[in-house]
Amino acid sequence: LVKSFSGHSGLIRSLAIHPDGRTIFSASFDGTLRAWRYPLGSEIARLDTGGELFGLALSENGQTVLTGGSDRMVHVWKWPQAVEVEALSGANDAITSLAAADDGQLIAASSRDHTIRVWNHASSRLVQQINLPAVPITVMKMHGDQQLLFGAAYDGSVTLWNLSTGQPLTRAALHKAPVTGLAFLPSEKMLVTSAESEILLWDMELFLLIRSPAESALPNQIELLEDRLRNGSPTPAAKAWMLFALELLRLKTRFDIQLGEPQVLQLGEFDIQL
């Protein structure tokens, strides 16, 4: 044990660590969001939301903190100012989990009313509403490079949605117990999921490569696809997509040069040689 933090009068429902590695946030059923200085353990901020808190999320830049709970509102806090800048409404039941884009502009909140709502909090505009099955969402995470939202559920499954359309892209039963942890490694090409005593690591590089525009591809991605086709064991559907992506990348990197004898064009007093 390195350090203990005490002060909440109710169950601590969610924790988050600031990117600076020196601040820990905690959301509790006592209705407060608290910030603690690590490793000293002293409380540096206490924000009262007026209702039991279930969800807590931070943007990757550490400037936006989200909380949600029994009051059916998503509270947007600015850090390090520790002031509430917005309260987003629309949910018909308690907010249970939250996710924020890297820059904090897009905010996703799942509710017990079986929906996920996505706002652009800069304009206070609801940009997407996703209807869910009866199985509750336990944790969510937005991918930084693409319009992707990962949501893990109580039944151990993880679903991936396209935020532009609100449609699910894929769903996989990854665990046999409720998923309690969902995170990306810093490169955002690896997904980590956890449930009970199990932690799983998922390689998303190929998936993200196939979804990326060919114009933004890197030269080493051709070698990656060739290696996966040569040494991997893709399904027929995956192999077809890999071959398609490979040809697109090859086309992008191809140069066409035509060689021929010079031709002189007589244009009055000017001679142009091609």
Side-chain angles (χ1 to χ4, degrees), residues 164-231:
S164 298
T165 64
Q167 296 300 311
L169 297 175
T170 185
R171 179 182 179 276
L174 305 184
H175 296 272
K176 296 180 181 179
V179 180
T180 54
L182 185 66
F184 300 112
L185 295 190
S187 66
E188 295 201 319
K189 296 177 181 178
M190 304 294 286
L191 173 70
V192 183
T193 59
S194 63
E196 288 189 342
S197 59
E198 183 179 56
I199 298 176
L200 301 178
L201 187 64
W202 307 88
D203 184 356
M204 298 196 304
E205 187 170 18
L206 184 59
F207 171 82
L208 296 173
L209 187 153
I210 290 175
R211 286 188 52 83
S212 300
E215 290 76 12
S216 62
L218 301 175
N220 67 332
Q221 292 178 332
I222 292 179
E223 298 178 4
L224 170 66
L225 281 172
E226 290 175 337
D227 180 69
R228 294 291 182 91
L229 285 167
R230 185 169 51 250
N231 301 317

Side-chain angles (χ1 to χ4, degrees), residues 4-273:
S4 295
F5 303 84
S6 60
H8 281 293
S9 59
L11 175 70
I12 297 173
R13 180 60 177 81
S14 188
L15 295 168
I17 299 176
H18 193 275
D20 65 10
R22 298 184 300 169
T23 308
I24 296 176
F25 295 92
S26 58
S28 169
F29 280 180
D30 65 11
T32 63
L33 167 69
R34 305 193 187 200
W36 314 82
R37 180 61 68 200
Y38 181 83
L40 300 178
S42 56
E43 182 182 296
I44 57 176
R46 181 186 305 183
L47 308 174
D48 193 352
T49 63
E52 292 182 342
L53 292 181
F54 293 91
L56 167 65
L58 270 69
S59 62
E60 290 297 319
N61 61 17
Q63 297 176 6
T64 303
V65 184
L66 308 177
T67 60
S70 61
D71 66 352
R72 307 179 183 184
M73 306 283 287
V74 177
H75 299 271
V76 184
W77 309 86
K78 207 67 178 174
W79 189 260
Q81 293 85 354
V83 295
E84 183 176 7
V85 295
E86 196 166 13
L88 302 170
S89 61
N92 298 313
D93 209 331
I95 303 293
T96 57
S97 58
L98 297 159
D102 287 356
D103 59 4
Q105 292 298 307
L106 281 184
I107 292 170
S110 69
S111 169
R112 284 180 178 168
D113 64 7
H114 307 303
T115 63
I116 294 175
R117 290 176 174 83
V118 183
W119 290 272
N120 182 327
H121 95 82
S123 61
S124 301
R125 185 170 63 93
L126 181 67
V127 297
Q128 198 62 255
Q129 180 171 317
I130 302 170
N131 295 320
L132 300 171
V135 180
I137 294 292
T138 54
V139 60
M140 296 191 302
K141 189 73 174 178
M142 285 189 192
H143 191 274
D145 294 339
Q146 304 190 35
Q147 289 279 312
L148 301 175
L149 175 66
F150 289 78
Y154 193 81
D155 63 359
S157 65
V158 174
T159 304
L160 173 60
W161 289 277
N162 183 327
L163 287 178
S164 298
T165 64
Q167 296 300 311
L169 297 175
T170 185
R171 179 182 179 276
L174 305 184
H175 296 272
K176 296 180 181 179
V179 180
T180 54
L182 185 66
F184 300 112
L185 295 190
S187 66
E188 295 201 319
K189 296 177 181 178
M190 304 294 286
L191 173 70
V192 183
T193 59
S194 63
E196 288 189 342
S197 59
E198 183 179 56
I199 298 176
L200 301 178
L201 187 64
W202 307 88
D203 184 356
M204 298 196 304
E205 187 170 18
L206 184 59
F207 171 82
L208 296 173
L209 187 153
I210 290 175
R211 286 188 52 83
S212 300
E215 290 76 12
S216 62
L218 301 175
N220 67 332
Q221 292 178 332
I222 292 179
E223 298 178 4
L224 170 66
L225 281 172
E226 290 175 337
D227 180 69
R228 294 291 182 91
L229 285 167
R230 185 169 51 250
N231 301 317
S233 301
T235 64
K239 184 176 181 180
W241 275 108
M242 292 166 68
L243 289 170
F244 178 65
L246 182 59
E247 290 306 314
L248 283 179
L249 294 178
R250 286 172 174 168
L251 180 65
K252 171 184 175 292
T253 57
R254 189 183 71 183
F255 295 92
D256 293 334
I257 301 175
Q258 181 177 346
L259 301 178
E261 294 296 325
Q263 179 183 1
V264 178
L265 304 179
Q266 299 293 335
L267 299 176
E269 59 186 34
F270 299 100
D271 290 340
I272 300 176
Q273 178 173 296

